[in-house]
Amino acid sequence: MLTLSCLSEFADCVLPIENQALADIVARRSPDQPKHRGVSGNPWDEMNQLAASMITNLTAGMRFGGSLNVDLNEITMNLVPFPRLHFLVSGMSPLGVPRSTDQMFADVYHRNNQLMAADVRHSRLLASGLLVRGDVSVAEANANITRLQGGLDMIHWNKQGFKVGLCAVPPVAQKAAVLGLSNSCSAAQTFDAIQQRFLQLYRVRAHVHHYTEYMSMEVINESLERVVELAAEYKQLSQVMPVSSPRPLPFNL
């Protein structure tokens, strides 16, 4: 709760990753898919590999050449319409099994491919980024965006709010990959869940003494208020509808 509050106020852009979302991806993989588990056989190594893949795909455009490279500043500029609403839900494809170009573009909006427990396909999107690696042309990327637009709920004042990056170098052992970054109102559900888990302990003041040695209770209460407000801002945008323009008055000379 304290971290989320600080990130909402002082970070420029945040890509949350949930352990449960990673664990679900690992559990869904078939037995014949490549594993990245350590000697102990637990899934943590494979979960870490998913997080590392997201970071390498995010920064590939700054490390390798491409016809349409994108750096981190462009992501923040294009995907963050309001200062506090800078939490991007990341989705990746492929996740083991090779996929066609069309399938990869669709996969990154599917809840099973998100690194955070969110359903971006069935939520309001404020903006979206698609960072593509491998042999994918600008024409293919644009065609897929046009195909997907009809099934995505982009906010009315940013219907064309897609940022595309094309890096020519694919990930190791893959022909191509797509990283989707969605500024989605579904993030409010995650923030609500964090708030509820926090309140279960905070109502009985469990573990609070570890923090009050170094900060006042006011700081904790203010952090809770900020997170509640953050979720409310996303919820408000998820319900906003376009306002029809008034008909112009007749003009007589």
Side-chain angles (χ1 to χ4, degrees):
M1 180 62 65
L2 296 173
T3 300
L4 180 55
S5 172
C6 289
L7 288 173
S8 70
E9 294 297 318
F10 303 113
D12 294 320
C13 189
V14 181
L15 278 67
I17 297 177
E18 286 191 72
N19 282 337
Q20 187 59 56
L22 299 180
D24 290 343
I25 292 173
V26 172
R28 282 191 294 267
R29 286 182 167 177
S30 60
D32 58 341
Q33 291 185 39
K35 301 295 182 182
H36 301 273
R37 300 185 180 182
V39 176
S40 63
N42 65 59
W44 293 107
D45 288 342
E46 196 169 355
M47 292 165 63
N48 289 335
Q49 187 269 336
L50 289 170
S53 294
M54 186 272 284
I55 297 298
T56 57
N57 290 335
L58 178 68
T59 59
M62 295 179 286
R63 295 180 287 113
F64 305 112
S67 58
L68 199 63
N69 278 353
V70 172
D71 62 26
L72 297 180
N73 290 327
E74 291 180 84
I75 291 172
T76 302
M77 177 67 68
N78 289 273
L79 302 187
V80 180
F82 303 108
R84 280 165 49 87
L85 306 185
H86 52 246
F87 294 84
L88 308 182
V89 182
S90 55
M92 295 193 303
S93 184
L95 293 175
V97 178
R99 305 283 282 172
S100 69
T101 300
D102 290 355
Q103 289 173 326
M104 288 190 296
F105 274 87
D107 286 347
V108 296
Y109 293 103
H110 195 283
R111 64 185 310 163
N112 289 349
N113 291 61
Q114 308 301 319
L115 305 192
M116 172 178 164
D119 188 2
V120 299
R121 184 184 291 276
H122 298 103
S123 69
R124 173 70 53 82
L125 298 180
L126 308 182
S128 184
L130 293 162
L131 306 184
V132 187
R133 298 183 63 184
D135 187 17
V136 178
S137 66
V138 175
E140 286 179 293
N142 288 336
N144 274 282
I145 290 174
T146 301
R147 176 176 59 86
L148 291 168
Q149 274 180 312
L152 298 174
D153 181 16
M154 301 292 294
I155 198 162
H156 65 276
W157 40 258
N158 200 24
K159 289 291 186 182
Q160 306 299 321
F162 291 87
K163 180 63 179 178
V164 178
L166 300 178
C167 174
V169 179
V172 176
Q174 294 179 350
K175 293 183 178 180
V178 178
L179 170 65
L181 302 174
S182 301
N183 196 333
S184 167
C185 292
S186 62
Q189 300 172 6
T190 298
F191 300 151
D192 282 343
I194 293 173
Q195 174 193 340
Q196 292 304 316
R197 290 195 297 268
F198 171 78
L199 286 175
Q200 286 180 341
L201 298 175
Y202 192 55
R203 286 192 183 103
V204 296
R205 297 298 187 264
H207 303 288
V208 170
H209 65 283
H210 296 299
Y211 298 89
T212 52
E213 293 181 25
Y214 310 101
M215 64 181 68
S216 68
M217 293 287 288
E218 291 181 2
V219 175
I220 300 176
N221 293 332
E222 289 173 0
S223 297
L224 177 59
E225 290 175 5
R226 287 197 192 100
V227 173
V228 171
E229 292 171 357
L230 179 65
E233 289 182 49
Y234 272 115
K235 291 175 185 177
Q236 182 179 7
L237 288 173
S238 71
Q239 299 172 358
V240 69
M241 299 298 292
V243 178
S244 57
S245 302
R247 296 181 62 183
L249 297 174
F251 179 75
N252 297 321
L253 294 176

